[in-house]
């Protein structure tokens, strides 16, 4: 090679070196292991599909030979193998999932859409679609496992409105790649929930355990008078544990869940509840509480038997506040609360605050974020590490939605008016 | 799958960033580069024990990367594209010069064919010998030489890159 060429190569190498930069450490053995699991699952699903097609073809041929009508074989479902890893990404999640409304021209109902967007730019990267084929399918709720694996509840309904009946609910898992592509819509083992209406879902970071709040969906439920169940699903075995909400009968205080969260090891399920007393003869025990079920996946029971974790008004030292959402940290030591109303020592009546309190109930609350003169709340989400938060709040005329970063709320796309919810 | 092949974790820990840098030069996109490395490693995992025994693992991984990228780049991407909006967080230091170099290199490499690009990245950036590049790309040494020569000739005609290289000399 000539002198000129080698000089050119040297300069080019220097420039390439500058251009390639120092990439952040994103590809880990854990991520590769998950990729291997997904690849094997996809291969076995394809093999199962091919086998079914073959069997269907042989059966159809045999039926045709007998002069009978053939029938369509239904698609295969894949079994899940275990996911054994717990990713430990400490950075801000690269993508978030948004549920937003797409307004129509008024003559037809608004549509709803679930999309993946890049945290850094707000750029739309992918649209989430359910594998269920039906005119009305709700692609929500969504829960993150690690930062790039998500669980999605697909709900087939009789119509587009929130009061329409749910005919079929099914949980799927999907993966978002480094470049924001959605892959692998895989049915979750134990995730066929019949005609239940699913309102909330939580997952452990390794995706081995899920919990959902579900209502009977065979008729439009009155969510204020219908006891929900919490269903805990072991995604490795498909086993379920059902925790029943108590019936609203006289003399019994009921603890129905408003939101749920799991610790990283799946050994604790915390749920936010406002004790209710439908008729006389019982008490609401001083307002909202966070209750906890130990080993929720090992066997079901009654939600009323869950232990009291903290009495929220007491731990917040303020009787006039309402907790809109609450999550337990992955290690179970801290509770992060979205609080509406004036906290002790804070000026003004209208505010929305994100505060952290020890799960023991002992110790001071720590402010993560506070927005004064805010009187509406639309959503709150913690990432799988429990250290990054999304919040939708503001006023009815001036909503804001974004991520909390060092005490500031950084707006995220699309604008808050159309956003119903966001999760990491 | 829970059985992790021996030495795999050490290889990933040691070489992941170098592979990502090569992948960026092949793809010109950070996210795609990460996907490419991840995919190559996923495909390498099941064969790791065999590769370790009889071959240089890095040569194998790079071969998978080049072949995978060749397959991906033949597919037409019809999905959404990111908006050109800048990230919200300011980055430390003066990054204008670095961005200029990055853009120039990306555009210059994009003007090459996939084979020319792969040869140049492996030969010049990864500093593989012509014989090693030939092994990765499954071609003759002569083909590597001629492809590298054609690629360099093409880059010489890139005015923006030439200007940057002159500045580098000064």
């Amino acid at each position: 090679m000539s002198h000129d060429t080698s000089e050119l190569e040297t300069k080019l190498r220097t420039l390439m070196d500058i251009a390639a930069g120092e990439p952040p450490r994103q590809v880990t053995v854990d991520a590769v292991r998950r990729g291997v699991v997904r690849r094997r699952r996809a291969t076995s699903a394809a093999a199962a599909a091919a086998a079914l097609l073959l069997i269907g073809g042989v059966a159809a041929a045999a039926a045709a030979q007998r002069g009978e009508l053939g029938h369509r074989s239904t698609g295969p479902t894949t079994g899940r193998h275990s996911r054994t890893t717990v990713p430990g990404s400490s950075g801000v999640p690269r993508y978030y999932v948004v549920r937003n409304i797409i307004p129509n021209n008024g003559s037809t109902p608004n549509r709803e859409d679930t999309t993946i967007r890049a945290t850094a730019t707000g750029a739309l990267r992918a649209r989430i679609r359910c594998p269920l084929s039906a005119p009305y399918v709700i692609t929500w709720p969504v829960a993150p496992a690690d930062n790039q694996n998500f669980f999605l509840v697909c709900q087939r309904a009789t119509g587009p409105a929130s009061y329409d009946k749910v005919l079929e609910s099914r949980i799927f898992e999907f993966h978002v790649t480094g470049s924001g592509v959605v892959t692998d819509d895989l049915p979750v083992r134990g995730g066929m929930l019949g005609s239940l209406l699913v309102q909330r879902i939580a997952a452990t970071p390794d995706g081995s355990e899920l919990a959902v709040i579900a209502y009977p969906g065979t008729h439009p439920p009155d969510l204020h008078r219908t006891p929900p169940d919490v269903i805990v699903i072991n995604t490795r075995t498909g086993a379920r544990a059902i925790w029943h909400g108590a019936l609203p009968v006289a003399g019994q205080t009921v603890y129905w869940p408003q939101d749920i969260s799991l610790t990283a090891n799946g050994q604790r399920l915390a749920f936010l509840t406002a004790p209710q007393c439908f008729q006389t003869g019982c008490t609401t025990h001083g307002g909202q509480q966070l209750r906890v079920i130990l080993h929720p996946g090992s066997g079901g029971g009654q939600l009323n038997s869950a232990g009291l974790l903290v009495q929220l008004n007491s731990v917040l030292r303020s009787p006039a506040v309402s907790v809109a959402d609450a999550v337990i940290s992955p290690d179970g030591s801290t509770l992060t609360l979205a609080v509406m109303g004036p906290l002790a020592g804070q000026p003004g009546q209208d505010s929305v605050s994100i505060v952290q309190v020890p799960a023991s109930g002992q110790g001071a609350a720590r402010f993560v974020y506070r927005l004064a003169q805010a009187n509406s709340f639309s959503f709150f989400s913690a990432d799988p590490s429990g250290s990054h938060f999304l919040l939708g709040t503001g006023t009815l005329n001036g909503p804001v939605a974004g991520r909390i970063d060092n005490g500031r709320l950084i707006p995220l796309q699309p604008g808050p008016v159309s956003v119903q919810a966001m999760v990491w | 799958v829970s059985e992790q092949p021996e030495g795999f974790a050490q290889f990933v820990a040691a070489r992941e960033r170098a592979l990502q840098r090569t992948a960026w030069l092949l793809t010109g996109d950070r996210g795609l580069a990460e996907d490419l490395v991840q995919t190559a490693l996923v495909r390498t995992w099941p064969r790791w024990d065999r590769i370790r025994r009889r071959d240089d693992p890095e040569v194998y991984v790079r071969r998978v990367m080049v072949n995978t990228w060749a397959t991906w780049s033949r597919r037409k991407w019809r999905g959404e594209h990111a908006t050109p909006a800048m990230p919200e967080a300011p980055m430390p230091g003066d990054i204008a010069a670095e961005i200029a170099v990055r853009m120039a290199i990306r555009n210059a490499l994009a003007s090459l064919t996939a084979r020319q690009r792969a040869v140049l990245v492996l030969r010049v950036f990864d500093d593989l010998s012509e014989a090693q590049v030939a092994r990765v790309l499954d071609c003759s040494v002569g083909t590597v030489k001629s492809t590298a020569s054609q690629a360099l000739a093409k880059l010489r005609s890139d005015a923006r890159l030439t200007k940057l290289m002159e500045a580098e000399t000064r």
Side-chain angles (χ1 to χ4, degrees), chain A residues 338-379:
Chain A
V339 184
M340 296 181 73
L343 284 162
Q346 296 294 320
Q349 287 297 304
D350 287 341
S351 66
V352 169
S353 312
I354 304 300
V355 294
Q356 291 186 318
V357 297
S360 62
Q362 307 296 314
R366 186 180 80 86
F367 273 89
V368 175
Y369 173 74
R370 179 171 181 269
L371 182 66
Q373 285 161 12
N375 56 16
S376 81
F377 171 87
S378 50
F379 63 85

Side-chain angles (χ1 to χ4, degrees), chain A residues 42-414:
Chain A
T43 309
S44 53
L52 274 176
L53 278 174
L54 191 66
I55 292 165
V58 171
Q65 269 194 339
R66 293 195 304 272
E68 296 168 2
L69 285 172
H71 67 278
R72 268 182 60 205
S73 64
T74 54
T77 60
T78 57
R80 280 173 48 89
H81 297 291
S82 62
R83 293 167 30 128
T84 55
T85 58
V86 182
S89 172
S90 59
V92 178
R94 190 183 292 184
Y95 299 106
Y96 58 99
V97 186
V98 188
R99 180 76 173 157
N100 63 295
I101 299 165
I102 302 171
N104 277 350
N105 54 17
S107 59
T108 51
N110 292 338
R111 287 185 302 121
E112 293 188 3
D113 207 11
T114 304
T115 50
I116 301 276
R117 285 178 180 266
T119 307
T121 62
L124 180 67
R125 300 316 296 255
R127 185 162 279 112
I128 307 296
R129 293 185 176 86
C130 281
L132 305 178
S133 60
Y136 304 112
V137 177
I138 306 157
T139 48
W140 198 260
V142 171
D146 63 51
N147 287 342
Q148 285 177 239
N149 285 295
F150 296 85
F151 289 96
L152 158 73
V153 185
C154 289
Q155 305 188 68
R156 185 164 63 85
T158 54
S162 58
Y163 51 78
D164 285 311
K165 295 175 194 174
V166 169
L167 300 172
E168 180 189 5
S169 291
R170 189 154 188 191
I171 306 173
F172 292 87
E173 182 184 3
F174 66 90
H175 173 75
V176 180
T177 71
S179 55
V181 178
V182 174
T183 62
D184 304 339
D185 252 335
L186 292 168
V188 167
R189 185 173 283 179
M192 292 182 76
L193 300 173
S195 57
L196 295 178
L197 169 68
V198 178
Q199 288 271 296
R200 302 277 183 154
I201 181 168
T204 55
D206 68 352
S208 64
E209 201 156 280
L210 302 178
V212 295
I213 300 179
Y215 294 81
T218 49
H219 57 87
D222 175 356
L223 300 187
H224 299 291
R225 299 197 68 83
T226 309
D229 289 337
V230 172
I231 303 172
V232 180
I233 302 165
N234 182 326
T235 61
R236 292 173 182 165
T237 62
R240 295 184 202 169
I242 302 176
W243 294 86
H244 298 284
L247 292 170
V249 296
Q252 176 166 253
T253 306
V254 299
Y255 301 94
W256 291 348
Q258 297 169 328
D259 200 5
I260 47 175
S261 54
L262 289 160
T263 53
N265 59 10
Q267 298 297 303
R268 287 183 190 194
L269 183 148
F271 68 92
L272 174 67
T273 182
Q276 292 180 84
C277 193
F278 285 89
Q279 294 176 41
T280 54
C282 55
T283 167
T284 53
H285 300 292
Q288 284 180 293
Q289 305 172 350
L290 215 64
R291 298 184 82 88
V292 66
I293 300 172
L294 300 177
H295 309 292
S298 60
Q302 295 294 320
L303 287 171
N304 264 23
S305 66
L308 176 66
L309 191 59
V310 290
Q311 187 75 43
L312 289 166
N313 286 347
S314 158
V315 77
L316 292 170
R317 296 183 181 87
S318 177
V321 296
S322 161
V323 176
D325 210 341
V327 293
I328 193 165
S329 63
D331 65 358
S333 66
T334 310
L335 307 171
T336 306
L337 313 171
V339 184
M340 296 181 73
L343 284 162
Q346 296 294 320
Q349 287 297 304
D350 287 341
S351 66
V352 169
S353 312
I354 304 300
V355 294
Q356 291 186 318
V357 297
S360 62
Q362 307 296 314
R366 186 180 80 86
F367 273 89
V368 175
Y369 173 74
R370 179 171 181 269
L371 182 66
Q373 285 161 12
N375 56 16
S376 81
F377 171 87
S378 50
F379 63 85
F380 175 70
S381 164
D383 79 325
S385 72
S387 38
H388 302 285
F389 306 106
L390 295 167
L391 176 66
T393 180
T395 61
L396 292 176
N397 295 326
V400 286
R403 71 179 178 91
I404 298 170
D405 186 354
N406 289 318
R408 295 175 305 144
L409 190 73
I410 296 174
L412 287 172
Q413 292 288 336

